[in-house]
Amino acid sequence: MDDFVDKTIAEQNLRMSLRALNSMSKSELVAQEIIGRIQSGDFKKDTCLPSEKELSEDLGVGRSTVREAVKQLVVQNILEIRRGKGTFISSTPGMIADPFGLRFHSDKLRLGVDLCEIRLMIEPVLARNAALNATSEQVQMIRKAQSEVAEDVKENRHHEQSDIKFHSAIARCTQNSILPPLMRVITSGIPYLIKITDRALTAQAVETHQMVLDAIEAHDPKRAFEAMTLHLEQNKSALEQKISER
Amino acid sequence: MDDFVDKTIAEQNLRMSLRALNSMSKSELVAQEIIGRIQSGDFKKDTCLPSEKELSEDLGVGRSTVREAVKQLVVQNILEIRRGKGTFISSTPGMIADPFGLRFHSDKLRLGVDLCEIRLMIEPVLARNAALNATSEQVQMIRKAQSEVAEDVKENRHHEQSDIKFHSAIARCTQNSILPPLMRVITSGIPYLIKITDRALTAQAVETHQMVLDAIEAHDPKRAFEAMTLHLEQNKSALEQKISER
């Protein structure tokens, strides 16, 4: 079975590549070659890319073709320009700021509810996990983020970033490599949520954050799960209320 | 509060824009302008972009600058070239094939386990929802996908695509706009999972798929949740087994 699958997958890839190759420009081919070298470990994350001149000689293409390929890869955060330092392989290649194109959604309220629904599937599980497995350093990070939120709210400052930090600190109690980019997507609605809801929800948020923190500190997984669920349900209801009012 | 937040967010945006503008090339500015017009609804999804000549005159920049901007936007799937038809606003602007850069993960087994963990947070909830809310047409789609999986496996054909179709059909029983791109990410490990595990798991998968389908057809949310959990736990265990063997 394995052999069968391997063989036919290889055939598929070959067919795909041939078709793809035919329609690719030179700069796209160079971009693919650079991607391949990152994947193989030839080019390592967070290190400097060889110079335009070196790449151009190595690959037998003009320097403008290399420049064009580099531009395409920078847009995708596969390469990044570091000012005064040169072009580097990104430390998180291929992870972009808005990978699902959320900025193109026209109905922001609806989008906010959709994000809450996804957060309700993920974050209570993460809170439960934190209550079970967080190290004392990790609990300390969550506590610190919550103090920042409370302080920001008290001082009438923005608390978007401290709020995101609180949720991310809980997510970081797992080693799952998909969570960092996923959390970035699903918490991207927080600034908007804060903007369109009023101070009542903010006070409520500080309170339910505290309940989550208390449960994690008490190593009580069930309570942590429920507190995070309550916190997110409140957010979702506030958005649904706004939808019903329009 | 709302006013306060609005005002300071606007100030932040302004500061950000000025800083960003200074470091942007002409083509990036044109790209940002096109993005803005899509967001405002001036340029509509799935319609043809004005010609290079028109854009160049409209924006007061050279045609090569417009061409450069269009290339950058095509790489991000904000625009797409349709052969023989021209350049279009994408129907799903900004959604790209591998938005989390999973192809750059070197440890594919570990990545497979991480994907299973995320799927375990999301897909049992989706199965429960399908049992509660699926229309008869939606149930029909899930049933059809499951027949295709069973048929593919019986005939020794690839079942990666029918397997992904089964899971996506269940996800489509909600209207959540984040789920389509999210499902594409989290099911992207399925072909790899099928490749590295053996026929035993495949037979098991057909069986547990059937349990999920039966529960959805019986409108039994608890059983649907549990069957999907079992299905994904089996996948995860198979991958963990492979990790322990290396």
Side-chain angles (χ1 to χ4, degrees), chain B residues 148-207:
Chain B
E148 281 176 38
V149 175
E151 188 73 11
D152 285 343
V153 169
K154 205 176 122 201
E155 300 292 333
N156 233 349
R157 288 192 302 251
H158 291 302
H159 66 286
E160 289 92 341
Q161 292 315 313
S162 49
D163 198 303
I164 291 174
K165 210 190 273 181
F166 176 77
H167 290 277
S168 303
I170 293 171
R172 267 201 298 276
C173 299
T174 85
Q175 296 297 312
N176 193 303
S177 62
I178 320 286
L179 277 174
L182 184 55
M183 286 299 289
R184 260 200 298 283
V185 172
I186 63 179
T187 60
S188 67
I190 288 180
Y192 178 70
L193 180 81
I194 292 174
K195 184 172 175 293
I196 66 134
T197 54
D198 58 15
R199 196 156 185 77
L201 185 63
T202 300
Q204 233 180 18
V206 174
E207 205 179 295

Short mmCIF file of all heavy atoms in Angstrom, two decimals, chain B residues 148-207:
data_model
loop_
_atom_site.label_atom_id
_atom_site.label_comp_id
_atom_site.label_asym_id
_atom_site.label_seq_id
_atom_site.Cartn_x
_atom_site.Cartn_y
_atom_site.Cartn_z
N GLU B 148 -17.78 7.57 -1.43
CA GLU B 148 -16.59 7.71 -2.28
C GLU B 148 -15.33 7.19 -1.58
O GLU B 148 -14.50 6.53 -2.18
CB GLU B 148 -16.38 9.18 -2.67
CG GLU B 148 -17.29 9.62 -3.80
CD GLU B 148 -17.12 11.11 -4.11
OE1 GLU B 148 -15.98 11.61 -4.06
OE2 GLU B 148 -18.15 11.77 -4.38
N VAL B 149 -15.21 7.53 -0.28
CA VAL B 149 -14.06 7.04 0.48
C VAL B 149 -14.06 5.51 0.46
O VAL B 149 -13.05 4.87 0.13
CB VAL B 149 -14.08 7.53 1.96
CG1 VAL B 149 -12.93 6.90 2.75
CG2 VAL B 149 -14.01 9.04 2.03
N ALA B 150 -15.21 4.91 0.80
CA ALA B 150 -15.31 3.45 0.89
C ALA B 150 -14.99 2.80 -0.46
O ALA B 150 -14.24 1.82 -0.53
CB ALA B 150 -16.72 3.06 1.35
N GLU B 151 -15.52 3.40 -1.52
CA GLU B 151 -15.30 2.89 -2.89
C GLU B 151 -13.81 2.99 -3.26
O GLU B 151 -13.21 2.03 -3.76
CB GLU B 151 -16.16 3.72 -3.85
CG GLU B 151 -16.21 3.20 -5.29
CD GLU B 151 -17.04 1.94 -5.43
OE1 GLU B 151 -17.78 1.57 -4.46
OE2 GLU B 151 -16.96 1.32 -6.50
N ASP B 152 -13.22 4.16 -3.00
CA ASP B 152 -11.80 4.37 -3.31
C ASP B 152 -10.93 3.33 -2.60
O ASP B 152 -10.01 2.77 -3.19
CB ASP B 152 -11.35 5.78 -2.87
CG ASP B 152 -11.86 6.87 -3.81
OD1 ASP B 152 -12.27 6.53 -4.94
OD2 ASP B 152 -11.84 8.05 -3.41
N VAL B 153 -11.22 3.14 -1.32
CA VAL B 153 -10.41 2.20 -0.53
C VAL B 153 -10.59 0.79 -1.08
O VAL B 153 -9.61 0.05 -1.27
CB VAL B 153 -10.80 2.27 0.97
CG1 VAL B 153 -10.16 1.13 1.75
CG2 VAL B 153 -10.39 3.62 1.56
N LYS B 154 -11.84 0.41 -1.39
CA LYS B 154 -12.13 -0.93 -1.91
C LYS B 154 -11.38 -1.17 -3.22
O LYS B 154 -10.84 -2.24 -3.46
CB LYS B 154 -13.65 -1.05 -2.14
CG LYS B 154 -14.17 -2.49 -2.10
CD LYS B 154 -15.68 -2.51 -2.23
CE LYS B 154 -16.08 -3.34 -3.44
NZ LYS B 154 -17.43 -3.02 -3.91
N GLU B 155 -11.33 -0.15 -4.06
CA GLU B 155 -10.71 -0.28 -5.38
C GLU B 155 -9.21 0.04 -5.35
O GLU B 155 -8.59 0.18 -6.40
CB GLU B 155 -11.41 0.66 -6.38
CG GLU B 155 -12.89 0.41 -6.56
CD GLU B 155 -13.18 -0.92 -7.27
OE1 GLU B 155 -12.30 -1.38 -8.03
OE2 GLU B 155 -14.25 -1.50 -7.02
N ASN B 156 -8.68 0.21 -4.13
CA ASN B 156 -7.25 0.50 -4.01
C ASN B 156 -6.85 1.81 -4.68
O ASN B 156 -5.73 1.96 -5.14
CB ASN B 156 -6.44 -0.65 -4.62
CG ASN B 156 -5.42 -1.17 -3.63
OD1 ASN B 156 -5.19 -0.53 -2.60
ND2 ASN B 156 -4.81 -2.29 -3.94
N ARG B 157 -7.78 2.73 -4.78
CA ARG B 157 -7.47 4.05 -5.34
C ARG B 157 -7.11 5.02 -4.21
O ARG B 157 -7.40 4.75 -3.04
CB ARG B 157 -8.70 4.62 -6.07
CG ARG B 157 -9.03 3.95 -7.38
CD ARG B 157 -10.08 4.78 -8.14
NE ARG B 157 -11.30 4.98 -7.38
CZ ARG B 157 -12.47 4.40 -7.66
NH1 ARG B 157 -12.57 3.57 -8.68
NH2 ARG B 157 -13.54 4.66 -6.93
N HIS B 158 -6.52 6.16 -4.59
CA HIS B 158 -6.27 7.21 -3.59
C HIS B 158 -7.58 7.64 -2.97
O HIS B 158 -8.55 7.85 -3.69
CB HIS B 158 -5.70 8.47 -4.26
CG HIS B 158 -4.33 8.26 -4.75
ND1 HIS B 158 -3.30 7.89 -3.92
CD2 HIS B 158 -3.79 8.36 -5.98
CE1 HIS B 158 -2.21 7.78 -4.64
NE2 HIS B 158 -2.48 8.05 -5.88
N HIS B 159 -7.58 7.80 -1.65
CA HIS B 159 -8.80 8.34 -1.06
C HIS B 159 -8.52 9.64 -0.31
O HIS B 159 -9.36 10.08 0.48
CB HIS B 159 -9.48 7.30 -0.16
CG HIS B 159 -8.70 6.94 1.07
ND1 HIS B 159 -7.58 6.14 1.04
CD2 HIS B 159 -8.87 7.29 2.36
CE1 HIS B 159 -7.10 6.02 2.27
NE2 HIS B 159 -7.86 6.71 3.08
N GLU B 160 -7.39 10.27 -0.58
CA GLU B 160 -7.08 11.55 0.10
C GLU B 160 -8.18 12.57 -0.16
O GLU B 160 -8.67 13.21 0.77
CB GLU B 160 -5.77 12.17 -0.43
CG GLU B 160 -4.52 11.46 -0.03
CD GLU B 160 -4.10 10.43 -1.06
OE1 GLU B 160 -4.97 10.04 -1.89
OE2 GLU B 160 -2.95 10.02 -1.05
N GLN B 161 -8.54 12.73 -1.43
CA GLN B 161 -9.48 13.79 -1.77
C GLN B 161 -10.88 13.50 -1.26
O GLN B 161 -11.57 14.40 -0.77
CB GLN B 161 -9.49 14.06 -3.29
CG GLN B 161 -8.18 14.67 -3.79
CD GLN B 161 -7.67 15.82 -2.90
OE1 GLN B 161 -8.42 16.71 -2.52
NE2 GLN B 161 -6.38 15.79 -2.52
N SER B 162 -11.32 12.23 -1.34
CA SER B 162 -12.67 11.91 -0.84
C SER B 162 -12.70 12.01 0.68
O SER B 162 -13.71 12.43 1.27
CB SER B 162 -13.12 10.53 -1.32
OG SER B 162 -12.13 9.55 -1.09
N ASP B 163 -11.57 11.70 1.33
CA ASP B 163 -11.47 11.81 2.78
C ASP B 163 -11.62 13.28 3.20
O ASP B 163 -12.40 13.62 4.10
CB ASP B 163 -10.12 11.24 3.24
CG ASP B 163 -10.10 10.90 4.72
OD1 ASP B 163 -10.37 11.80 5.53
OD2 ASP B 163 -9.81 9.74 5.07
N ILE B 164 -10.88 14.16 2.53
CA ILE B 164 -10.98 15.60 2.82
C ILE B 164 -12.40 16.10 2.56
O ILE B 164 -12.96 16.88 3.33
CB ILE B 164 -9.95 16.40 1.98
CG1 ILE B 164 -8.52 16.08 2.46
CG2 ILE B 164 -10.22 17.90 2.04
CD1 ILE B 164 -7.41 16.69 1.63
N LYS B 165 -13.02 15.55 1.47
CA LYS B 165 -14.39 15.95 1.13
C LYS B 165 -15.38 15.58 2.25
O LYS B 165 -16.28 16.35 2.57
CB LYS B 165 -14.80 15.24 -0.18
CG LYS B 165 -15.79 16.02 -1.01
CD LYS B 165 -16.34 15.19 -2.16
CE LYS B 165 -15.48 15.25 -3.40
NZ LYS B 165 -16.08 14.44 -4.51
N PHE B 166 -15.18 14.39 2.85
CA PHE B 166 -16.04 13.94 3.94
C PHE B 166 -15.99 14.94 5.11
O PHE B 166 -17.02 15.41 5.60
CB PHE B 166 -15.60 12.54 4.41
CG PHE B 166 -16.35 12.00 5.60
CD1 PHE B 166 -17.63 11.48 5.47
CD2 PHE B 166 -15.77 12.03 6.87
CE1 PHE B 166 -18.32 10.99 6.57
CE2 PHE B 166 -16.46 11.54 7.98
CZ PHE B 166 -17.73 11.02 7.83
N HIS B 167 -14.76 15.28 5.52
CA HIS B 167 -14.61 16.19 6.67
C HIS B 167 -15.12 17.60 6.33
O HIS B 167 -15.71 18.26 7.18
CB HIS B 167 -13.16 16.21 7.14
CG HIS B 167 -12.75 14.91 7.78
ND1 HIS B 167 -13.02 14.64 9.10
CD2 HIS B 167 -12.13 13.81 7.28
CE1 HIS B 167 -12.58 13.42 9.39
NE2 HIS B 167 -12.02 12.90 8.31
N SER B 168 -14.89 18.03 5.09
CA SER B 168 -15.34 19.37 4.71
C SER B 168 -16.86 19.44 4.63
O SER B 168 -17.46 20.47 4.97
CB SER B 168 -14.74 19.77 3.36
OG SER B 168 -13.34 19.70 3.43
N ALA B 169 -17.49 18.34 4.19
CA ALA B 169 -18.96 18.31 4.09
C ALA B 169 -19.58 18.48 5.48
O ALA B 169 -20.60 19.16 5.64
CB ALA B 169 -19.43 17.01 3.45
N ILE B 170 -18.94 17.91 6.49
CA ILE B 170 -19.45 18.07 7.86
C ILE B 170 -19.27 19.52 8.31
O ILE B 170 -20.15 20.11 8.93
CB ILE B 170 -18.73 17.08 8.81
CG1 ILE B 170 -19.15 15.64 8.44
CG2 ILE B 170 -19.05 17.39 10.28
CD1 ILE B 170 -18.37 14.56 9.15
N ALA B 171 -18.09 20.10 7.97
CA ALA B 171 -17.82 21.49 8.36
C ALA B 171 -18.81 22.45 7.70
O ALA B 171 -19.17 23.47 8.28
CB ALA B 171 -16.40 21.88 7.98
N ARG B 172 -19.25 22.11 6.49
CA ARG B 172 -20.13 23.03 5.77
C ARG B 172 -21.55 23.07 6.33
O ARG B 172 -22.38 23.84 5.85
CB ARG B 172 -20.16 22.67 4.28
CG ARG B 172 -19.12 23.48 3.48
CD ARG B 172 -19.46 23.53 2.02
NE ARG B 172 -19.47 22.20 1.43
CZ ARG B 172 -18.39 21.57 1.00
NH1 ARG B 172 -17.21 22.15 1.07
NH2 ARG B 172 -18.47 20.37 0.48
N CYS B 173 -21.83 22.28 7.37
CA CYS B 173 -23.14 22.36 8.02
C CYS B 173 -23.23 23.58 8.94
O CYS B 173 -24.27 23.83 9.54
CB CYS B 173 -23.44 21.08 8.79
SG CYS B 173 -23.49 19.64 7.73
N THR B 174 -22.13 24.34 9.09
CA THR B 174 -22.25 25.65 9.73
C THR B 174 -22.02 26.69 8.64
O THR B 174 -21.46 26.37 7.58
CB THR B 174 -21.21 25.91 10.84
OG1 THR B 174 -20.01 26.39 10.24
CG2 THR B 174 -20.92 24.65 11.63
N GLN B 175 -22.41 27.92 8.92
CA GLN B 175 -22.22 29.00 7.95
C GLN B 175 -20.97 29.80 8.27
O GLN B 175 -20.71 30.83 7.67
CB GLN B 175 -23.43 29.95 7.98
CG GLN B 175 -24.72 29.31 7.55
CD GLN B 175 -24.65 28.84 6.12
OE1 GLN B 175 -24.23 29.57 5.24
NE2 GLN B 175 -25.03 27.59 5.88
N ASN B 176 -20.19 29.32 9.26
CA ASN B 176 -19.03 30.09 9.73
C ASN B 176 -18.02 30.34 8.60
O ASN B 176 -17.54 29.41 7.96
CB ASN B 176 -18.36 29.32 10.86
CG ASN B 176 -17.36 30.16 11.60
OD1 ASN B 176 -16.43 30.69 11.01
ND2 ASN B 176 -17.57 30.32 12.89
N SER B 177 -17.70 31.62 8.38
CA SER B 177 -16.86 32.00 7.24
C SER B 177 -15.37 31.69 7.45
O SER B 177 -14.59 31.77 6.52
CB SER B 177 -17.02 33.49 6.95
OG SER B 177 -16.57 34.25 8.07
N ILE B 178 -14.98 31.40 8.69
CA ILE B 178 -13.57 31.09 8.96
C ILE B 178 -13.30 29.61 8.69
O ILE B 178 -12.16 29.19 8.52
CB ILE B 178 -13.19 31.36 10.44
CG1 ILE B 178 -13.84 32.63 10.96
CG2 ILE B 178 -11.68 31.39 10.63
CD1 ILE B 178 -13.24 33.89 10.45
N LEU B 179 -14.36 28.78 8.70
CA LEU B 179 -14.13 27.34 8.59
C LEU B 179 -13.55 26.88 7.25
O LEU B 179 -12.66 26.02 7.26
CB LEU B 179 -15.41 26.56 8.90
CG LEU B 179 -15.66 26.36 10.41
CD1 LEU B 179 -17.00 25.71 10.63
CD2 LEU B 179 -14.57 25.52 11.07
N PRO B 180 -13.99 27.43 6.10
CA PRO B 180 -13.40 26.91 4.86
C PRO B 180 -11.87 27.03 4.82
O PRO B 180 -11.18 26.02 4.61
CB PRO B 180 -14.10 27.72 3.78
CG PRO B 180 -15.42 28.09 4.38
CD PRO B 180 -15.13 28.32 5.83
N PRO B 181 -11.29 28.24 5.09
CA PRO B 181 -9.82 28.28 5.07
C PRO B 181 -9.19 27.47 6.20
O PRO B 181 -8.13 26.85 6.02
CB PRO B 181 -9.48 29.77 5.22
CG PRO B 181 -10.68 30.40 5.81
CD PRO B 181 -11.85 29.60 5.31
N LEU B 182 -9.86 27.44 7.35
CA LEU B 182 -9.30 26.69 8.48
C LEU B 182 -9.29 25.19 8.20
O LEU B 182 -8.31 24.50 8.48
CB LEU B 182 -10.13 27.00 9.75
CG LEU B 182 -9.63 26.38 11.04
CD1 LEU B 182 -8.18 26.74 11.32
CD2 LEU B 182 -10.50 26.83 12.22
N MET B 183 -10.38 24.68 7.62
CA MET B 183 -10.44 23.25 7.29
C MET B 183 -9.36 22.90 6.27
O MET B 183 -8.77 21.82 6.33
CB MET B 183 -11.82 22.86 6.75
CG MET B 183 -12.92 22.78 7.79
SD MET B 183 -12.62 21.54 9.09
CE MET B 183 -12.86 20.00 8.18
N ARG B 184 -9.12 23.84 5.32
CA ARG B 184 -8.07 23.55 4.33
C ARG B 184 -6.73 23.36 5.02
O ARG B 184 -5.96 22.47 4.65
CB ARG B 184 -7.98 24.69 3.29
CG ARG B 184 -8.69 24.34 1.99
CD ARG B 184 -8.21 25.19 0.83
NE ARG B 184 -8.45 26.60 1.02
CZ ARG B 184 -9.64 27.19 0.86
NH1 ARG B 184 -10.69 26.48 0.48
NH2 ARG B 184 -9.79 28.48 1.06
N VAL B 185 -6.46 24.20 6.02
CA VAL B 185 -5.18 24.06 6.74
C VAL B 185 -5.14 22.75 7.52
O VAL B 185 -4.19 21.98 7.40
CB VAL B 185 -4.96 25.24 7.73
CG1 VAL B 185 -3.75 24.97 8.61
CG2 VAL B 185 -4.78 26.54 6.98
N ILE B 186 -6.20 22.49 8.32
CA ILE B 186 -6.08 21.36 9.25
C ILE B 186 -6.25 20.00 8.58
O ILE B 186 -5.80 19.00 9.11
CB ILE B 186 -7.02 21.49 10.49
CG1 ILE B 186 -8.49 21.48 10.11
CG2 ILE B 186 -6.67 22.73 11.30
CD1 ILE B 186 -9.42 21.58 11.32
N THR B 187 -6.89 19.98 7.40
CA THR B 187 -6.97 18.69 6.70
C THR B 187 -5.81 18.51 5.73
O THR B 187 -5.72 17.49 5.05
CB THR B 187 -8.30 18.53 5.92
OG1 THR B 187 -8.39 19.59 4.96
CG2 THR B 187 -9.51 18.57 6.83
N SER B 188 -4.90 19.50 5.68
CA SER B 188 -3.79 19.38 4.72
C SER B 188 -2.84 18.26 5.11
O SER B 188 -2.03 17.82 4.30
CB SER B 188 -3.03 20.71 4.62
OG SER B 188 -2.35 20.97 5.85
N GLY B 189 -2.96 17.77 6.35
CA GLY B 189 -2.10 16.66 6.76
C GLY B 189 -2.65 15.30 6.34
O GLY B 189 -1.96 14.28 6.50
N ILE B 190 -3.88 15.26 5.82
CA ILE B 190 -4.51 13.96 5.52
C ILE B 190 -3.72 13.14 4.49
O ILE B 190 -3.46 11.96 4.73
CB ILE B 190 -6.00 14.14 5.10
CG1 ILE B 190 -6.84 14.54 6.35
CG2 ILE B 190 -6.56 12.88 4.47
CD1 ILE B 190 -8.32 14.76 6.07
N PRO B 191 -3.30 13.74 3.36
CA PRO B 191 -2.55 12.92 2.39
C PRO B 191 -1.29 12.31 3.02
O PRO B 191 -0.96 11.15 2.79
CB PRO B 191 -2.19 13.93 1.28
CG PRO B 191 -3.27 14.96 1.36
CD PRO B 191 -3.58 15.08 2.83
N TYR B 192 -0.62 13.11 3.85
CA TYR B 192 0.59 12.61 4.50
C TYR B 192 0.26 11.48 5.48
O TYR B 192 0.93 10.45 5.53
CB TYR B 192 1.30 13.76 5.22
CG TYR B 192 2.53 13.29 5.94
CD1 TYR B 192 3.65 12.89 5.23
CD2 TYR B 192 2.55 13.22 7.32
CE1 TYR B 192 4.77 12.43 5.89
CE2 TYR B 192 3.66 12.77 7.98
CZ TYR B 192 4.78 12.37 7.27
OH TYR B 192 5.87 11.92 7.93
N LEU B 193 -0.83 11.69 6.22
CA LEU B 193 -1.28 10.67 7.19
C LEU B 193 -1.55 9.36 6.47
O LEU B 193 -1.14 8.28 6.94
CB LEU B 193 -2.57 11.16 7.88
CG LEU B 193 -3.17 10.24 8.92
CD1 LEU B 193 -2.45 10.38 10.24
CD2 LEU B 193 -4.66 10.53 9.13
N ILE B 194 -2.24 9.43 5.34
CA ILE B 194 -2.58 8.22 4.59
C ILE B 194 -1.30 7.57 4.06
O ILE B 194 -1.15 6.35 4.08
CB ILE B 194 -3.54 8.57 3.42
CG1 ILE B 194 -4.90 8.98 4.00
CG2 ILE B 194 -3.68 7.39 2.46
CD1 ILE B 194 -5.89 9.50 2.98
N LYS B 195 -0.37 8.42 3.63
CA LYS B 195 0.87 7.92 3.06
C LYS B 195 1.70 7.13 4.08
O LYS B 195 2.22 6.05 3.78
CB LYS B 195 1.68 9.11 2.51
CG LYS B 195 2.96 8.76 1.79
CD LYS B 195 3.54 10.00 1.13
CE LYS B 195 4.89 9.75 0.49
NZ LYS B 195 5.95 9.47 1.43
N ILE B 196 1.83 7.68 5.30
CA ILE B 196 2.76 7.04 6.23
C ILE B 196 2.12 5.96 7.10
O ILE B 196 2.81 5.22 7.77
CB ILE B 196 3.46 8.05 7.16
CG1 ILE B 196 2.44 8.71 8.08
CG2 ILE B 196 4.27 9.08 6.40
CD1 ILE B 196 2.95 8.74 9.48
N THR B 197 0.78 5.92 7.12
CA THR B 197 0.16 4.86 7.92
C THR B 197 -0.28 3.75 6.98
O THR B 197 -0.27 3.91 5.76
CB THR B 197 -1.04 5.40 8.73
OG1 THR B 197 -1.93 6.04 7.83
CG2 THR B 197 -0.57 6.37 9.79
N ASP B 198 -0.65 2.61 7.52
CA ASP B 198 -0.89 1.47 6.64
C ASP B 198 -2.37 1.17 6.45
O ASP B 198 -3.24 1.83 6.99
CB ASP B 198 -0.13 0.25 7.15
CG ASP B 198 -0.55 -0.09 8.56
OD1 ASP B 198 -1.61 0.43 8.99
OD2 ASP B 198 0.15 -0.84 9.23
N ARG B 199 -2.63 0.16 5.67
CA ARG B 199 -4.00 -0.19 5.30
C ARG B 199 -4.91 -0.41 6.50
O ARG B 199 -6.12 -0.13 6.42
CB ARG B 199 -3.95 -1.45 4.42
CG ARG B 199 -5.24 -1.68 3.66
CD ARG B 199 -5.07 -2.50 2.41
NE ARG B 199 -6.34 -2.56 1.71
CZ ARG B 199 -6.83 -1.56 0.99
NH1 ARG B 199 -6.16 -0.46 0.85
NH2 ARG B 199 -8.00 -1.68 0.38
N ALA B 200 -4.34 -0.89 7.61
CA ALA B 200 -5.13 -1.15 8.83
C ALA B 200 -5.86 0.13 9.25
O ALA B 200 -7.06 0.11 9.52
CB ALA B 200 -4.21 -1.62 9.95
N LEU B 201 -5.12 1.23 9.25
CA LEU B 201 -5.72 2.50 9.66
C LEU B 201 -6.78 2.94 8.65
O LEU B 201 -7.80 3.51 9.02
CB LEU B 201 -4.64 3.58 9.80
CG LEU B 201 -5.14 4.91 10.35
CD1 LEU B 201 -5.68 4.76 11.76
CD2 LEU B 201 -4.04 5.96 10.33
N THR B 202 -6.53 2.64 7.38
CA THR B 202 -7.49 3.01 6.34
C THR B 202 -8.82 2.31 6.55
O THR B 202 -9.88 2.94 6.51
CB THR B 202 -6.91 2.67 4.94
OG1 THR B 202 -5.70 3.41 4.78
CG2 THR B 202 -7.88 3.04 3.85
N ALA B 203 -8.76 0.99 6.82
CA ALA B 203 -9.99 0.23 7.07
C ALA B 203 -10.71 0.78 8.30
O ALA B 203 -11.92 0.99 8.29
CB ALA B 203 -9.66 -1.25 7.27
N GLN B 204 -9.90 1.07 9.32
CA GLN B 204 -10.43 1.65 10.56
C GLN B 204 -11.12 2.99 10.28
O GLN B 204 -12.17 3.29 10.85
CB GLN B 204 -9.25 1.91 11.50
CG GLN B 204 -9.39 1.32 12.89
CD GLN B 204 -8.15 1.64 13.72
OE1 GLN B 204 -7.37 2.55 13.41
NE2 GLN B 204 -7.96 0.88 14.78
N ALA B 205 -10.48 3.78 9.41
CA ALA B 205 -11.01 5.11 9.10
C ALA B 205 -12.37 5.00 8.44
O ALA B 205 -13.30 5.75 8.78
CB ALA B 205 -10.05 5.87 8.20
N VAL B 206 -12.51 4.06 7.50
CA VAL B 206 -13.81 3.87 6.84
C VAL B 206 -14.87 3.52 7.88
O VAL B 206 -15.99 4.05 7.84
CB VAL B 206 -13.72 2.76 5.76
CG1 VAL B 206 -15.09 2.47 5.17
CG2 VAL B 206 -12.75 3.17 4.65
N GLU B 207 -14.48 2.69 8.82
CA GLU B 207 -15.40 2.26 9.87
C GLU B 207 -15.84 3.42 10.78
O GLU B 207 -17.02 3.59 11.06
CB GLU B 207 -14.67 1.19 10.72
CG GLU B 207 -15.57 0.22 11.44
CD GLU B 207 -14.70 -0.78 12.20
OE1 GLU B 207 -13.96 -1.57 11.54
OE2 GLU B 207 -14.72 -0.76 13.43
#
